Amino acid sequence: RNGYTTKLFDYGCGRKETRDLIKAKLDKYEIEYIPYDPYNMPKHEADYNLQRIEEANIIVCSNVLNVIDSDQVVESIMRKLDKLSQTRDIFISVYEGDGTGIGKITSKGYQRNELVSKYRRKMNMIHGTMSAGHRYYNLYRGIIHNTTNKLF
């Protein structure tokens, strides 16, 4: 299509203004940007881009899991990300809020207030490596990353 060898899928990318800024920046580096957000983009565009998730070399999920009040939805997203992590880099960041672990409604919606280490633990449990004595997902400077390519 466009000759890009790197494709970044942004899971829960946010508003159009944010998507446009990220796309412009990544275009300079010849990285194709594939945004996905079922709440902040037209359904047909979100559905089309979600179908393209397998094309991505890198998947970013930034400040998404921490604003979802359903444990089942959070776990479902984590399972999708883990399945994809076998062959590509996954980066997950969350806003910890007040860090109490007590979710509550805020002026902007909902906040889980969970520490990033808790999300990493959940990802490792989903991946099934906790019992094997090693971690598949590491935590580096507040970002959860799979160790597929040993970036950190």
Side-chain angles (χ1 to χ4, degrees):
R1 272 179 42 173
N2 55 20
Y4 292 157
T5 56
T6 301
K7 296 180 182 183
L8 186 145
F9 188 92
D10 189 349
Y11 198 109
C13 58
R15 298 185 182 108
K16 182 172 179 6
E17 308 84 55
T18 305
R19 294 193 306 267
D20 291 347
L21 287 170
I22 295 170
K23 181 180 180 345
K25 188 67 165 182
L26 292 177
D27 279 349
K28 290 180 184 179
Y29 296 99
E30 298 184 348
I31 297 172
E32 183 176 356
Y33 182 58
I34 307 169
Y36 169 73
D37 195 319
Y39 301 102
N40 288 298
M41 60 194 324
K43 183 176 175 8
H44 69 278
E45 186 179 350
D47 290 348
Y48 173 75
N49 285 354
L50 184 59
Q51 292 174 13
R52 297 186 61 211
I53 196 168
E54 295 280 343
E55 298 174 27
N57 312 77
I58 301 167
I59 298 176
V60 173
C61 182
S62 181
N63 294 326
V64 173
L65 302 176
N66 54 283
V67 297
I68 300 171
D69 65 352
S70 167
D71 290 340
Q72 291 78 20
V73 173
V74 169
E75 186 172 321
S76 172
I77 292 170
M78 288 177 150
R79 287 188 184 287
K80 287 177 194 172
L81 293 173
D82 182 63
K83 182 179 178 192
L84 294 163
S85 74
Q86 307 305 306
T87 54
R88 59 192 50 84
D89 285 305
I90 306 286
F91 297 91
I92 302 169
S93 67
V94 295
Y95 174 66
E96 295 180 330
D98 62 20
T100 62
I102 300 169
K104 60 184 169 188
I105 303 295
T106 68
S107 61
K108 295 181 179 180
Y110 182 80
Q111 178 55 243
R112 295 179 73 86
N113 294 311
E114 293 178 328
L115 298 176
V116 67
S117 58
K118 184 171 182 181
Y119 292 92
R120 188 202 58 194
R121 232 179 354 265
K122 286 181 188 178
M123 286 299 292
N124 277 318
M125 288 193 323
I126 286 169
H127 187 72
T129 59
M130 291 295 276
S131 59
H134 67 283
R135 293 186 177 94
Y136 184 75
Y137 292 96
N138 286 324
L139 184 58
Y140 180 78
R141 295 189 178 177
I143 297 174
I144 300 166
H145 174 256
N146 62 313
T147 56
T148 303
N149 292 321
K150 308 278 187 215
L151 289 182
F152 302 131

